[in-house]
Amino acid sequence: MSRRAAEPVELVQLRGWLRAAKGRRTFAALARRADAGKLPVSVCTLRRALDGRLPTLRTVQASARGAGADEEAGARVWAAAAAAVRPEPVRKPSAYVPGRDITTRAGLAAAMQKVRAAAGGPSLRQLADSPRPRAASRAAPWTMLCTRGGCPARSC
């Protein structure tokens, strides 16, 4: 026998608020009244709002409008339930990675300034005098391919 995971209290309160607002009205009557109030919603959507999952804010507002209940109160109850069901993820600040999302020259200039600032803001003279790593030639990838028997030109 499987057991459902414990539901947040706020979600249970939202379902209770929706049931109380619905009263003895049918879902079809709620849908008709919401449609007349310029917030169309299907009968099936109104039924699903009570099945245990978090309905959308629009569904809660349509249900409230169809029942003649306070839409703002419904939005407040929904916001509490949404916060309980989908808490904000804790984001760790990510380290700056140069080169990511550079699509313009201005973006390249900004990225270079960030890298320079992260290095302690050396002067251009210090950068020019610093030892540079030996750059690989542009032919290096082709040379590696050709020596391993995978020459794309097949002329080596």
Side-chain angles (χ1 to χ4, degrees):
M1 176 178 199
S2 66
R3 293 181 50 148
R4 283 179 55 175
E7 291 180 334
V9 173
E10 294 85 355
L11 185 59
V12 174
Q13 289 173 343
L14 174 63
R15 253 198 332 271
W17 186 89
L18 287 169
R19 282 193 181 107
K22 176 184 175 285
R24 297 183 54 88
R25 297 175 192 89
T26 64
F27 289 112
L30 288 177
R32 276 194 307 274
R33 290 186 64 184
D35 191 30
K38 307 289 187 206
L39 199 55
V41 65
S42 72
V43 173
C44 184
T45 300
L46 291 174
R47 270 196 201 106
R48 279 196 318 251
L50 297 175
D51 74 356
R53 292 173 289 185
L54 180 69
T56 63
L57 175 59
R58 186 181 181 287
T59 301
V60 172
Q61 290 172 332
S63 180
R65 190 171 293 180
D70 184 12
E71 290 180 44
E72 289 180 16
R76 283 192 301 273
V77 174
W78 179 86
V85 172
R86 299 183 301 223
E88 287 294 319
V90 177
R91 299 182 118 200
K92 293 188 289 184
S94 62
Y96 175 72
V97 178
R100 187 186 306 163
D101 301 327
I102 296 175
T103 57
T104 64
R105 287 184 183 195
L108 177 61
M112 291 172 70
Q113 288 173 354
K114 285 182 183 179
V115 169
R116 186 170 167 218
S123 69
L124 294 177
R125 173 61 60 197
Q126 289 171 324
L127 289 174
D129 292 342
S130 67
R132 287 179 247 171
R134 191 171 144 243
S137 69
R138 289 184 179 211
W142 290 102
T143 306
M144 287 188 291
L145 283 173
C146 291
T147 57
R148 293 188 181 141
C151 183
R154 300 261 187 233
S155 62
C156 299

